[in-house]
Amino acid sequence: MIITAMGRWNPAPGRLLEWHPTSAARASAEAAPVDSAPASFLQEDHLKAAWAARERGDVHTAYTGVATEIDGDVDTDAMSRALAAYVLRHEGLRCWFEVEGNDVVRHLAPPEVAAFEVSDAGEATDDDEFQRYVRGRFSSEATADAWPGFVVGVVARPGSFTLYYGADHAFTDGGSQALVISELTDLYALETGADVPIPAEAGSHLAYATDERARAATFGADSPEIAAWRDIFTRHDGRMPRFPLDLGLAPGEKAPVRIVERDLLSKELTAAFDAACKAAGARMSSGIFAAVGITDFELAGNTDYFGITVLSTRHHGDYGQSQGWFVNFAPVAFEVAGNDTFSDVAVLAHRGFEQAKQIAEAPVHAALGALAADGTLGSELAVSPNMLSYIDFRWFPGVGRDADTRAEHFTGEGSTSNASMWINRDGEHLYLVAQTPDTEVAAAAVKRYHDHLAHVLETIAREGDYSLTLDDLVQEPAGAGHLDH
């Protein structure tokens, strides 16, 4: 699987087939009663933002999707049965939501809604036409305010077809998208009589959301996890992390997203970088943060690294195969200045990343609520932070099989004031995807940053270490791109 820009996903032309609920299933979903399970914290934030965006008349882009190529002619009846089986496995996918004032209301449809039928939407003849079509489907159908909050379709041609799935972000995260394409493909194969593994049982996101609220209530203002948040943000003047270079935006300004992709290391050099991290006493995940911290230091003069990372919360229950939003956010901070080599920084990055894992046991909203109450964070609560995520896709179910190997994962593209990075490892390479502002200044700054990061990583991989220097630092206008430490 590769994470890529939606605009770069262009399957071969074919017949456009769509799956929708039967009329009876849709009527049942519309009449679904209110369920007592709360939305998760991230769902609640997302849903309130989505409702506000709809009131403004914004185009809905808060969705994420995945697609793969499958050999053989599509069996539409088998796909209908597979989709029904998929929905029955994941209780959260039978939900839709309303926002009433400051409250988020969940509706849970009965199992009978898992009934689908296929329709023919015509032919896809060129890439631009297909992009308009599929973006239109996702924007209008992959929403949380009506059921279903996901879309399924096929681009069919003799001898093969493209299967795609997309969902409103309320129902999915990056891990779920990595799981769904293999699961749906296996369920389809089982319906055709093929000999494939039966997907493992999956826990319910409703149970997770209920448990998350209960866990949050156990963390007080003086809990070690909250104290760690407070300490890190106090040391950084109560500000959210920013991209270290000037992106050409005024404070608070956003620009349309431009997706940037970059290969960083080949399979062999990735293994060599991994070995260098271990030799320094760190994991590869920590080594990635160390390399980014070095890049921030050498290009922007930031004496320490300060960022927000994304961590899985699936370990809180039987959620390894579940569909839903199973992540938390936590700060990562460590010193860079005063160290001579990557090996030195990697040890500190390892401590910082391990601390982030401990901090992440507290739901982020428990931490932010406490920091808002004591004044550590004020207006910064409304600021979206610059984020860094690292995922090793080699450990996901389905890896090595055709559906996963051929899969492409993409997101909707709205607006941003950051240049957050998703650095990923698979069986072939290490690469990054960044959501950047679509401005000339940002394009130049991001390229400069990614070039230097790639240089740091490759040097470590080839030589086993890296010597820090400010000799190549290109001075920018006073204060530009610097965190106010």
Side-chain angles (χ1 to χ4, degrees):
M1 176 175 292
I2 189 79
I3 296 179
T4 189
M6 191 172 183
R8 296 187 179 95
W9 168 53
N10 286 298
R15 202 75 188 169
L16 300 174
L17 304 178
E18 302 177 356
W19 272 261
H20 298 279
T22 64
S23 57
R26 193 178 298 277
S28 178
E30 290 174 353
V34 171
D35 190 84
S36 61
S40 72
F41 287 124
L42 293 180
Q43 277 184 321
E44 181 175 345
D45 285 352
H46 165 82
L47 292 165
K48 290 179 178 178
W51 251 251
R54 185 176 61 181
E55 290 298 313
R56 294 192 302 268
D58 295 351
V59 174
H60 174 58
T61 59
Y63 53 75
T64 180
V66 65
T68 195
E69 301 297 321
I70 299 178
D71 294 331
D73 295 339
V74 62
D75 181 333
T76 57
D77 290 338
M79 188 64 74
S80 297
R81 296 191 299 271
L83 182 54
Y86 167 72
V87 170
L88 290 174
R89 283 173 43 78
H90 303 289
E91 188 179 28
L93 296 180
R94 291 191 277 117
C95 295
W96 57 275
F97 294 90
E98 293 179 287
V99 176
E100 298 178 351
N102 200 42
D103 297 324
V104 174
V105 179
R106 180 195 295 273
H107 293 261
L108 175 62
E112 292 76 39
V113 297
F116 299 89
E117 56 192 4
V118 66
S119 62
D120 190 324
E123 195 86 11
T125 58
D126 63 62
D127 291 347
D128 290 342
E129 181 184 15
F130 177 75
Q131 280 290 319
R132 287 192 296 272
Y133 161 77
V134 77
R135 287 175 186 268
R137 261 207 96 184
F138 280 49
S139 291
S140 62
E141 297 179 43
T143 63
D145 61 343
W147 191 83
F150 55 85
V151 298
V152 175
V154 156
V155 185
R157 61 196 75 87
S160 70
F161 62 96
T162 304
L163 170 65
Y164 67 86
Y165 171 91
D168 186 289
H169 211 330
F171 304 110
T172 189
D173 60 9
S176 294
Q177 291 298 91
L179 293 167
V180 62
I181 203 66
S182 292
E183 177 179 322
L184 193 51
T185 302
D186 281 348
L187 292 171
Y188 168 75
L190 287 168
E191 292 295 338
T192 65
D195 183 17
V196 297
I198 297 174
E201 292 298 318
S204 168
H205 191 262
L206 278 70
Y208 169 83
T210 301
D211 174 68
E212 182 188 51
R213 300 277 172 165
R215 283 189 289 109
T218 67
F219 293 93
D222 296 324
S223 297
E225 295 82 0
I226 308 299
W229 272 88
R230 183 181 299 111
D231 175 65
I232 290 173
F233 273 86
T234 298
R235 287 189 280 116
H236 295 89
D237 301 322
R239 300 188 71 205
M240 287 291 181
R242 268 77 165 174
F243 186 72
L245 303 182
D246 180 18
L247 295 173
L249 301 174
E253 183 184 5
K254 294 183 178 182
V257 165
R258 173 175 172 261
I259 301 292
V260 174
E261 303 174 40
R262 171 95 184 228
D263 280 349
L264 294 172
L265 297 174
S266 66
K267 179 179 181 178
E268 293 74 22
L269 288 178
T270 301
F273 177 76
D274 194 355
C277 294
K278 289 183 172 67
R283 295 187 179 93
M284 183 165 161
S285 53
S286 306
I288 294 293
F289 279 84
V292 170
I294 290 169
T295 301
D296 288 5
F297 171 69
E298 294 188 326
L299 291 188
N302 288 354
T303 58
D304 70 336
Y305 174 78
F306 170 47
I308 297 289
T309 194
V310 186
L311 294 165
S312 173
T313 56
R314 292 175 182 268
H315 62 282
H316 284 291
D318 185 21
Y319 305 122
Q321 299 286 311
S322 301
Q323 287 292 307
W325 209 343
F326 296 96
V327 301
N328 199 17
F329 301 102
V332 180
F334 53 88
E335 290 293 326
V336 178
N339 294 286
D340 296 325
T341 66
F342 163 79
S343 293
D344 298 330
V345 178
V347 173
L348 301 176
H350 180 73
R351 293 176 190 164
F353 192 58
E354 289 301 305
Q355 182 191 40
K357 293 179 184 178
Q358 297 170 6
I359 294 172
E361 288 302 297
V364 61
H365 288 70
L368 294 180
L371 299 190
D374 67 18
T376 302
L377 286 175
S379 61
E380 289 290 291
L381 282 168
V383 175
S384 296
N386 198 68
M387 295 195 298
L388 173 60
S389 166
Y390 171 70
I391 299 177
D392 189 340
F393 281 103
R394 296 176 303 158
W395 307 114
F396 278 77
V399 168
R401 297 164 61 196
D402 283 349
D404 183 85
T405 300
R406 297 173 174 180
E408 296 177 88
H409 175 200
F410 44 83
T411 63
E413 297 155 19
S415 60
T416 186
S417 57
N418 295 310
S420 296
M421 293 188 296
W422 283 258
I423 297 180
N424 307 300
R425 181 181 186 180
D426 59 23
E428 298 302 321
H429 64 332
L430 183 75
Y431 67 98
L432 71 79
V433 179
Q435 291 185 326
T436 74
D438 192 8
T439 69
E440 290 185 8
V441 173
V446 168
K447 183 180 185 306
R448 177 171 166 246
Y449 186 93
H450 291 168
D451 284 348
H452 196 79
L453 175 60
H455 165 69
V456 172
L457 291 166
E458 185 168 349
T459 301
I460 296 165
R462 293 189 182 281
E463 301 179 10
D465 215 335
Y466 181 90
S467 296
L468 277 66
T469 177
L470 284 176
D471 290 347
D472 295 329
L473 179 65
V474 178
Q475 294 295 328
E476 299 188 18
H482 290 252
L483 292 174
D484 297 330
H485 298 315

